[in-house]
């Protein structure tokens, strides 16, 4: 009996990961570029990166690759790796996800989304401005996937109600959907709560400075940059709006939709209170840190997340475990944890230093060209994978690079965080959701390339100037 190996397109993408893994080990270790453990760690980066881009298996499966690879090759102590899959930051992510589920279950998410759009104007530019503001602001405190899933169905319903049925060819639909997916992406770096990539960054920052990094310190440094990136996004989107284009009835549509909600229910009030209370306590951490040193934001959000199972609204429990099983974005949580584990592999094996030494061969002296290289690395990685994976790979490399060049790592680290939150081109991550709803991939690519290049230049320039003239950008307290 002849056995035939499956060679379909899907299987080809599956085999590409382990083949690239083996090739990297052969090229690096076989040519004495690095040690065997470092070569395996770098091969793991390539394998996971390919599978995260090509999706031959679910992203959560890819996230667990460091465990069997470490078991086979004994790269680092097992407990160092396993601990990343339920780290303090994963606890925070789980708690915030539980609270977010109550918004979805009580429809508070739709009430707030539509309510924020009720005063929207009828011109297309007004529409684009409000959608971009709403998605950017909401993604500062909610995961960007959640924001996109809240806003896109509302936007599509509005567009079809107003007669924009051919979404692929509609300039209005393209501009509005781009505003949502781009806004949800850039808003993420406005606070640590905006995405799992930020939580990766927080863990590295705390290791770097040796103590807890307060959330308000994050906001001070990143919101000014977010405003500049927002303005650049808005200018590009305005260019897509045909002159004088109006969507008649847009404001009326939202008012009618909001009126259907009626009065806020008891459940909605509880859901809102849980999130507001957890957020306020997280940002007010400096006020009580001395008396409650163990009550970090991660555990604040987890405590309020646990409360969702013991509080009741008119229809019963706010959440049941079945709700959590079905509603939690387990794949995203595991992907985040896998990114941390990958980062642990490349830092503890000193594989990050191998990449950093390669970068030091470039003519870098810590000036604008170094900022540009940092932004390019972060932007490239987040375009081809996810911002969590990009942060997990790029941050250790940047820290090693600055160590090699004997530079203050802080400004380069901050620019990296911004860069991994600014992806516009390929239909992956949240942009894939937009494409599934009818966003034109041609428009995404064409406009995304322009915006990505301009954002990279803007972030590099702002980072360089901030490093020179803004003391908060070169120190972390």
């Amino acid at each position: 009996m002849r056995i035939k190996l499956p060679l379909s397109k899907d299987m080809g993408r599956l085999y590409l990961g382990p083949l690239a893994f083996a090739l990297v080990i052969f090229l690096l270790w076989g040519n004495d570029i690095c040690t065997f453990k470092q070569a395996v760690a770098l091969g793991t980066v390539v394998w996971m990166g390919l599978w995260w881009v090509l999706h031959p298996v679910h992203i959560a499966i890819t996230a667990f690759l460091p465990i069997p690879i470490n078991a086979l090759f004994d790269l680092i102590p097992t407990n160092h790796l396993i601990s990343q899959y339920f780290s303090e930051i994963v606890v925070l992510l789980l708690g915030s996800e539980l609270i977010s589920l109550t918004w979805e279950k009580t429809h508070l998410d739709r009430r707030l989304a539509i309510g924020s759009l009720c005063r929207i104007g009828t011109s297309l530019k007004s529409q684009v401005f409000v959608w971009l503001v709403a998605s950017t602001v909401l993604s500062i405190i909610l995961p960007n996937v959640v924001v996109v899933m809240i806003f896109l169905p509302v936007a599509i319903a509005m567009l079809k109600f107003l007669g924009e049925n051919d979404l692929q060819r509609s300039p209005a639909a393209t501009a509005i959907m781009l505003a949502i997916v781009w806004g949800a992406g850039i808003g993420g770096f406005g606070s640590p709560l905006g995405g799992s990539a930020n939580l990766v960054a927080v863990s590295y920052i705390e290791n770097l400075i040796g103590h807890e990094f307060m959330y308000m310190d994050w906001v001070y440094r990143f919101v000014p940059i977010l405003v500049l990136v927002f303005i650049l996004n808005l200018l590009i989107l305005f260019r897509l709006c045909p002159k004088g284009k109006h969507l008649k009835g847009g404001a009326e549509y939202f008012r009618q939709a909001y009126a259907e909600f009626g009065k806020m229910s008891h459940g909605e009030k509880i859901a809102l209170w849980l999130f507001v209370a957890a957020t306020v306590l997280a940002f007010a951490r400096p006020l009580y840190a001395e008396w409650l040193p163990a009550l970090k934001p991660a555990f604040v959000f987890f405590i309020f997340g646990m409360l969702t199972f013991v509080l009741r609204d008119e229809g019963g429990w706010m959440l049941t475990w079945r709700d959590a099983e079905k509603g939690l974005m387990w794949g995203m949580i595991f992907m985040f944890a896998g990114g941390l584990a990958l980062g642990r592999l490349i830092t503890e094996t000193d594989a990050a230093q191998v990449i950093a030494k390669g970068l030091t061969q470039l003519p870098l002296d810590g000036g604008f060209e170094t900022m540009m290289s940092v932004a390019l690395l972060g932007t490239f990685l987040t375009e081809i994978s996810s911002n969590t994976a990009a942060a997990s790979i790029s941050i250790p490399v940047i820290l090693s690079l600055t160590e090699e060049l004997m530079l203050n790592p802080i400004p380069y680290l901050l620019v990296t965080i911004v860069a991994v939150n600014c992806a516009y081109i390929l239909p992956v991550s949240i942009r894939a959701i937009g494409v599934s709803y009818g966003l034109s991939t041609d428009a995404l690519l064409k406009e995304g390339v322009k915006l990505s290049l301009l954002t990279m230049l803007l972030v590099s320039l702002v980072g360089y100037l901030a490093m020179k003239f803004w003391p908060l950008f070169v120190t972390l307290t």
Side-chain angles (χ1 to χ4, degrees), residues 212-279:
E212 185 180 353
F213 183 58
M214 299 298 178
Y215 281 19
M216 283 308 299
D217 290 328
W218 177 292
V219 173
Y220 294 150
R221 289 163 176 82
F222 285 106
V223 167
I225 302 174
L226 175 58
V227 171
L228 296 175
V229 174
F230 173 88
I231 292 171
L232 178 59
N233 276 252
L234 185 63
L235 293 174
I236 294 293
L237 287 167
F238 276 177
R239 287 183 62 254
L240 297 177
C241 301
K243 191 173 182 180
K245 174 71 174 177
H246 283 69
L247 293 176
K248 295 181 180 179
E252 183 180 349
Y253 170 83
F254 289 120
R255 283 194 291 269
Q256 290 177 355
Y258 189 78
E260 293 175 4
F261 284 110
K263 291 184 178 181
M264 185 176 284
S265 68
H266 180 60
E268 287 177 285
K269 292 177 181 178
I270 294 175
L272 183 60
W273 173 81
L274 286 170
F275 188 82
V276 170
T279 303

Side-chain angles (χ1 to χ4, degrees), residues 40-353:
V40 173
L42 292 173
T44 306
V45 172
V46 175
W47 185 349
M48 293 178 71
L50 284 171
W51 273 15
W52 270 331
V53 173
L54 301 176
H55 301 291
V57 296
H58 193 278
I59 57 172
I61 304 301
T62 303
F64 286 118
L65 275 176
I67 296 176
I69 289 173
N70 191 66
L72 288 169
F73 297 103
D74 191 25
L75 304 178
I76 65 175
T78 302
N79 63 320
H80 291 192
L81 189 73
I82 296 297
S83 63
Q84 303 306 300
Y85 288 87
F86 208 74
S87 65
E88 180 180 312
I89 309 301
V90 173
V91 171
L92 188 152
L93 195 61
L94 182 59
S96 65
E97 280 286 294
L98 289 172
I99 298 171
S100 296
L101 280 182
T102 64
W103 286 37
E104 180 181 344
K105 186 175 180 181
T106 61
H107 303 299
L108 176 64
D109 54 359
R110 291 180 62 83
R111 177 189 289 274
L112 294 179
I114 294 175
S116 68
L117 297 167
C118 275
R119 298 182 181 275
I120 196 168
T122 58
S123 78
L124 181 54
K125 286 188 176 181
S126 296
Q127 293 267 343
V128 165
F129 175 76
V130 175
W131 283 108
L132 184 64
V133 169
S135 58
T136 301
V137 171
L138 201 56
S139 66
I140 290 175
I141 56 174
L142 289 175
N144 54 17
V145 174
V146 174
V147 174
V148 171
M149 292 305 296
I150 289 171
F151 279 126
L152 272 179
V154 177
I156 299 306
M158 179 202 72
L159 288 164
K160 290 185 175 179
F161 176 81
L162 301 175
E164 300 285 342
N165 294 313
D166 190 352
L167 301 179
Q168 289 266 340
R169 298 178 181 174
S170 167
T174 297
I176 288 173
M177 285 193 284
L178 285 176
I180 293 170
V181 296
W182 287 353
I186 64 171
F189 72 87
S191 84
L193 303 176
S196 50
N198 300 344
L199 303 180
V200 173
V202 168
S203 67
Y204 280 105
I205 287 172
E206 292 184 341
N207 286 334
L208 179 66
I209 63 179
H211 57 80
E212 185 180 353
F213 183 58
M214 299 298 178
Y215 281 19
M216 283 308 299
D217 290 328
W218 177 292
V219 173
Y220 294 150
R221 289 163 176 82
F222 285 106
V223 167
I225 302 174
L226 175 58
V227 171
L228 296 175
V229 174
F230 173 88
I231 292 171
L232 178 59
N233 276 252
L234 185 63
L235 293 174
I236 294 293
L237 287 167
F238 276 177
R239 287 183 62 254
L240 297 177
C241 301
K243 191 173 182 180
K245 174 71 174 177
H246 283 69
L247 293 176
K248 295 181 180 179
E252 183 180 349
Y253 170 83
F254 289 120
R255 283 194 291 269
Q256 290 177 355
Y258 189 78
E260 293 175 4
F261 284 110
K263 291 184 178 181
M264 185 176 284
S265 68
H266 180 60
E268 287 177 285
K269 292 177 181 178
I270 294 175
L272 183 60
W273 173 81
L274 286 170
F275 188 82
V276 170
T279 303
V280 169
L281 284 173
F283 280 93
R285 168 78 175 148
L287 300 178
Y288 61 85
E290 183 179 350
W291 295 279
L292 296 170
L295 190 61
K296 296 181 179 180
F299 307 118
V300 169
F301 271 87
F302 192 73
I303 289 170
F304 280 89
M306 291 290 288
L307 286 176
T308 63
F309 295 107
V310 297
L311 295 174
R312 297 178 67 91
D313 63 4
E314 300 91 336
W317 301 112
M318 290 293 293
L319 279 186
T320 65
W321 182 246
R322 178 166 295 187
D323 294 328
E325 283 183 315
K326 291 181 178 179
L328 283 173
M329 291 186 285
W330 296 106
M332 185 185 73
I333 292 173
F334 289 138
M335 182 179 179
F336 164 70
L340 285 179
L342 178 62
R344 199 67 180 259
L345 277 184
I346 65 175
T347 51
E348 290 200 23
T349 59
D350 290 330
Q353 292 185 7

